[in-house]
Amino acid sequence: MKVLFVISSHSDLGDTNRKTGYYLSEAAHPWKKLQERGIEIDFVSPKGGACPLDPASYDLSDPINREFWEDAEVQKKLKNTLAPGGVDANIFEGIHYVGGHGACFDFPSNIPLLQLGARIYEHGGVVSAICHGPSGLLNIKLMGGTYLIQGKNVACFTNSEEEAVGLVKAIPFSLQDCMKERGAYVHVKPNWQSNVQIDGRLITGQNPQSSTELGDKLGDLVLEIEARRIVAQ
């Protein structure tokens, strides 16, 4: 069983003169939960190759972050992420969009990445996204022409949390508002509280604090779907 993690290739946080990228715990904690279940993880990014880590997320006092960051196989994959155009969607049981503000800049407009997410979902895979990761879901359309998130219960980094970190003007759009515009039902909890929404094979989390819970739900759903496939054979 394999799940594909999507991380951002974008490093500049608007015109703030600050750096961004992918958020460490939003990759590390789900990775840990999948690893515990024997699920293999590969990494893809809009540009492929090495990707920037959001420096604000570099917290190795968190033991799971440290385990992830110091894992030799993980580091090898992070320095050589796949390019979406060359990925075979059929070998993955799921795809997970890691957050970090970088995702707002390069996830929504990358056509091969959008197509990859749609293919994994349409062949029965799980789609998950956390914090700003749902930026990668905004423009995914399914075969019937509807948006993947249309009519779905979802969570994402909220307007209130964006205001709290002072970055409303640094990003190109309000993720919460855009998800509503796509017809999603956005469920909001108070800032920095874990909030994971599951709607069929779609799992979304509000913030970094949702990473562990989301990882558990993602791992369980991947195993459940794989068990059904085995029974059906």
Side-chain angles (χ1 to χ4, degrees):
M1 294 174 292
K2 298 180 75 172
V3 171
L4 188 63
F5 277 31
V6 188
I7 59 176
S8 177
S9 301
H10 188 87
S11 62
D12 294 321
L13 186 51
D15 58 2
T16 64
N17 292 319
R18 291 168 57 183
K19 293 297 181 182
T20 187
Y22 67 93
Y23 206 87
L24 181 56
S25 64
E26 295 168 12
H29 285 245
W31 165 84
K32 179 65 173 178
K33 292 300 182 180
L34 268 59
Q35 185 190 53
E36 290 173 348
R37 291 164 171 81
I39 300 169
E40 184 181 348
I41 294 106
D42 279 337
F43 295 86
V44 66
S45 65
K47 293 182 179 179
C51 295
L53 176 71
D54 186 330
S57 74
Y58 186 68
D59 176 15
L60 298 190
S61 67
D62 178 322
I64 296 175
N65 284 357
R66 177 175 290 276
E67 181 182 355
F68 174 86
W69 193 249
E70 294 182 349
D71 185 285
E73 184 64 21
V74 168
Q75 280 299 323
K76 181 179 177 181
K77 290 182 176 182
L78 288 174
K79 292 172 182 175
N80 299 277
T81 65
L82 304 170
V87 174
D88 180 3
N90 295 314
I91 68 172
F92 293 97
E93 281 73 36
I95 185 168
H96 171 59
Y97 295 80
V98 177
H101 284 87
C104 298
F105 294 88
D106 62 357
F107 281 8
S109 60
N110 189 283
I111 301 302
L113 187 58
L114 297 172
Q115 293 171 337
L116 179 59
R119 289 198 299 271
I120 290 174
Y121 186 78
E122 288 176 327
H123 81 228
V126 180
V127 171
S128 78
I130 189 163
C131 200
H132 292 90
S135 297
L137 310 181
L138 287 174
N139 294 325
I140 294 180
K141 284 188 175 182
L142 304 178
M143 289 180 66
T146 59
Y147 287 104
L148 185 153
I149 61 173
Q150 184 176 330
K152 299 289 200 309
N153 295 290
V154 301
C156 67
F157 202 67
T158 66
N159 289 340
S160 176
E161 287 169 325
E162 208 69 79
E163 290 170 4
V165 298
L167 293 172
V168 171
K169 295 182 179 179
I171 55 174
F173 54 84
S174 158
L175 181 52
Q176 181 179 334
D177 291 352
C178 285
M179 295 194 83
K180 288 182 178 179
E181 289 169 8
R182 289 286 188 252
Y185 302 111
V186 182
H187 296 260
V188 174
K189 283 191 176 181
N191 293 2
W192 324 127
Q193 288 191 17
S194 181
N195 175 22
V196 175
Q197 297 293 318
I198 305 174
D199 195 323
R201 290 180 287 108
L202 176 66
I203 306 174
T204 46
Q206 179 172 318
N207 46 36
Q209 290 74 19
S210 308
S211 298
T212 298
E213 182 183 354
L214 181 141
D216 266 327
K217 302 298 186 185
L218 173 58
D220 287 348
L221 189 52
V222 168
L223 291 179
E224 180 184 328
I225 289 172
E226 180 62 15
R228 288 178 190 169
R229 285 178 177 171
I230 292 172
V231 170
Q233 288 177 354

